[in-house]
Amino acid sequence: MNTSDYRPLDVQAIRKDFPIFTDNSFAFLDSAASTQTPRPVVEAMDVYYDTYRSNIHRGIYRISEEATDQYEKARQKVAQLINAPRSSQVVFTRNTTESINLVAYSWGSMNIHQGDEIILTVLEHHSNLVPWQMLAQRTGATLRFLEITDQGLLDFTQLHDILSEKTKLIAITHVSNVLGTINPIQSVIDAAHAAGAKVMVDAAQSVPHFHVDVQQLDCDFLAFSGHKMCGPTGVGVLYGKLELLEEMPPFLGGGSMIRSVDRDISTYADVPAKFEAGTPSIAEAIGLGSAVDYITQAGLASIHVHEQELLKYAHQQLQDIEGITIYGPEPHQKAGVISFNIEGIHPHDVAGILDTHDVAIRAGHHCAQPLMKKFDVIATARASFYLYNTIEDIDRLCDGLRKAQTIMIRRNK
Ligand code: C6P
């Protein structure tokens, strides 16, 4: 883990940037679903709307040039964040889901054929599963799955059994949104490349939480969402190796992605414009650029260490609650997510009662139904942390859980 920018987080100062935390009694523990937005990000978008709102890459006037400039600066900031060699390798999409679909349609239609194999893991979010199922159904390819251990760690030894010359792609999440497991993606990428396969990394739960370096990883594609890293909704990122992006056909056709258009045929723009058809999410991309500044200033190593401290504390405290089952590995093997169930209480009831105590967590299958089946549960409760969370939030969670137990015992009598 790169710790070069580590310094302790001033969490109280950070919380002041988030108006939702003005009332200190709200414990927001659902950042894995979507984070809160700090003022500088909202202000960056306000400035766009108030002073230079216009379309990009077409207006021959000052405010349109300013909008184009800010949109492209945001792309550069994202490229720097993940250490992409060129900003043109950063494609703005709507979210992780769209980024993965783009690769499944565009790269998949050229490179996946009958009899080919795509390796996934049982940890995948539906966004990194359903697009590959659809591709396999279209092409006659086969999906293979890497299993996990009872602790929720990837069973890496299996990879060598299922990896073969038929494998064309491994699509794998960097961090599980349910268990928090940090997968050994460097080893997966090295093994895939040795077998001639490409790797798509779902980084929705990693890029917001620690340093991710696409050149060091040497991944072929990587996807993440702005709204999980203090940015606005409606903007996501696809990173790809330049030679792959250049040879891929467009995903969507329309304005902005063409070089020239005739009645029967068109030629396409260079990357990234080839993949950004129509008017993009301009304000949101500018907001994402500001979010990158925000989390970079806090320091990604600092965010990771802070989340580790919260995780360790949460594990200790939750383990003391009677009838609790915690899913997934030990804190040092995961990012800021903790999934659990309490005997005799449906996770939806847990979340509902916690809500009445101003504690927001997520309950459900977390868009990871194959993983739920693996653990033989239909749902879990999940608390997830980010740079603005405190030890007090976890205490409030544990108090709320004890109250939930009391309420449910009374109701069931
Ligand atoms: N996980 C969660 O509560 P979108 O919706 O496209 O921004 O992100 C999809 C996605 C893809 N991969 C992983 C690992 C994810 O965690 C998510 C989103 C949210 O866990 C919403 S289900």
Side-chain angles (χ1 to χ4, degrees):
M1 203 67 70
N2 173 353
T3 53
S4 55
D5 58 347
Y6 174 72
R7 62 197 167 273
L9 285 187
D10 184 348
V11 179
Q12 288 314 322
I14 286 171
R15 285 174 75 84
K16 291 202 175 88
D17 291 332
F18 294 80
I20 200 162
F21 298 131
T22 310
D23 171 5
N24 239 341
S25 67
F26 178 48
F28 181 72
L29 297 173
D30 196 20
S31 293
S34 203
T35 61
Q36 297 299 331
T37 325
R39 280 310 305 165
V41 171
V42 177
E43 279 158 15
M45 291 190 289
D46 279 353
V47 173
Y48 163 73
Y49 280 122
D50 290 346
T51 67
Y52 62 96
R53 184 186 162 142
S54 50
N55 215 321
I56 56 166
H57 293 147
R58 57 197 88 193
I60 317 287
Y61 51 89
R62 187 182 50 78
I63 61 168
S64 175
E65 279 163 12
E66 171 72 3
T68 304
D69 201 34
Q70 293 303 327
Y71 182 83
E72 292 304 329
K73 271 196 183 127
R75 197 192 306 277
Q76 282 162 15
K77 288 177 189 180
V78 171
Q80 257 170 27
L81 176 75
I82 57 172
N83 195 27
R86 295 160 184 236
S87 62
S88 58
Q89 291 170 261
V90 167
V91 177
F92 283 131
T93 60
R94 275 190 311 137
N95 47 38
T96 306
T97 305
E98 187 174 290
S99 300
I100 296 172
N101 274 280
L102 191 165
V103 176
Y105 273 87
S106 173
W107 180 86
S109 66
M110 276 183 71
N111 293 284
I112 300 291
H113 306 101
Q114 171 113 28
D116 288 344
E117 293 186 354
I118 298 168
I119 297 179
L120 309 171
T121 82
V122 291
L123 288 167
E124 299 315 312
H125 185 281
H126 298 165
S127 294
N128 199 29
L129 168 56
V130 181
W132 306 116
Q133 288 174 344
M134 290 159 65
L135 176 64
Q137 281 155 11
R138 283 199 305 276
T139 57
T142 305
L143 303 184
R144 308 283 310 264
F145 287 85
L146 276 174
E147 298 293 331
I148 50 166
T149 64
D150 291 344
Q151 288 73 42
L153 294 169
L154 202 65
D155 189 351
F156 187 68
T157 53
Q158 282 183 346
L159 182 59
H160 296 286
D161 297 336
I162 61 173
L163 193 60
S164 73
E165 73 285 353
K166 289 187 194 160
T167 313
K168 293 292 174 298
L169 177 81
I170 301 183
I172 180 168
T173 191
H174 198 173
V175 171
S176 159
N177 67 315
V178 181
L179 306 177
T181 311
I182 302 176
N183 281 327
I185 54 163
Q186 186 69 73
S187 308
V188 172
I189 292 165
D190 294 346
H193 286 170
K198 305 285 184 229
V199 181
M200 159 103 236
V201 179
D202 174 350
Q205 302 289 354
S206 61
V207 164
H209 300 278
F210 52 81
H211 284 287
V212 174
D213 181 330
V214 291
Q215 291 194 65
Q216 193 183 327
L217 287 172
D218 196 30
C219 55
D220 300 288
F221 299 106
L222 182 128
F224 54 99
S225 299
H227 70 95
K228 291 187 197 290
M229 49 191 285
C230 291
T233 56
V235 64
V237 171
L238 172 68
Y239 158 81
K241 282 192 176 156
L242 194 59
E243 65 275 19
L244 297 178
L245 293 174
E246 278 176 345
E247 71 191 20
M248 280 159 56
F251 177 40
L252 300 173
S256 305
M257 50 74 74
I258 51 89
R259 188 180 304 285
S260 76
V261 176
D262 227 316
R263 287 191 181 200
D264 300 318
I265 196 141
S266 302
T267 55
Y268 307 123
D270 291 335
V271 289
K274 179 172 69 174
F275 296 112
E276 294 182 4
T279 299
S281 301
I282 303 167
E284 289 77 6
I286 292 167
L288 176 58
S290 170
V292 169
D293 288 341
Y294 192 82
I295 60 173
T296 310
Q297 270 156 28
L300 277 144
S302 315
I303 293 173
H304 181 63
V305 170
H306 176 66
E307 288 177 9
Q308 279 291 306
E309 284 163 6
L310 294 175
L311 263 181
K312 277 188 214 137
Y313 184 74
H315 265 248
Q316 282 162 8
Q317 298 304 309
L318 287 173
Q319 267 154 9
D320 283 348
I321 294 178
E322 220 187 299
I324 197 159
T325 304
I326 297 176
Y327 304 96
E330 292 302 310
H332 69 278
Q333 292 161 315
K334 62 186 198 174
V337 172
I338 183 161
S339 262
F340 57 91
N341 269 325
I342 297 189
E343 207 182 340
I345 318 182
H346 192 284
H348 285 165
D349 290 331
V350 172
I353 296 170
L354 286 174
D355 184 43
T356 64
H357 290 90
D358 279 339
V359 178
I361 64 157
R362 185 168 174 199
H365 54 59
H366 313 294
C367 302
Q369 288 186 3
L371 183 59
M372 295 291 117
K373 289 194 181 116
K374 178 90 193 161
F375 281 105
D376 202 18
V377 293
I378 46 161
T380 72
R382 183 193 70 182
S384 53
F385 313 123
Y386 208 24
L387 73 172
Y388 37 63
N389 287 119
T390 61
I391 294 288
E392 290 73 34
D393 290 338
I394 295 164
D395 289 340
R396 216 166 281 145
L397 167 70
C398 294
D399 287 349
L401 290 175
R402 290 201 170 84
K403 281 179 188 137
Q405 283 182 316
T406 317
I407 292 169
M408 292 312 283
I409 289 167
R410 230 185 283 139
R411 252 189 227 169
N412 293 336
K413 267 189 182 163

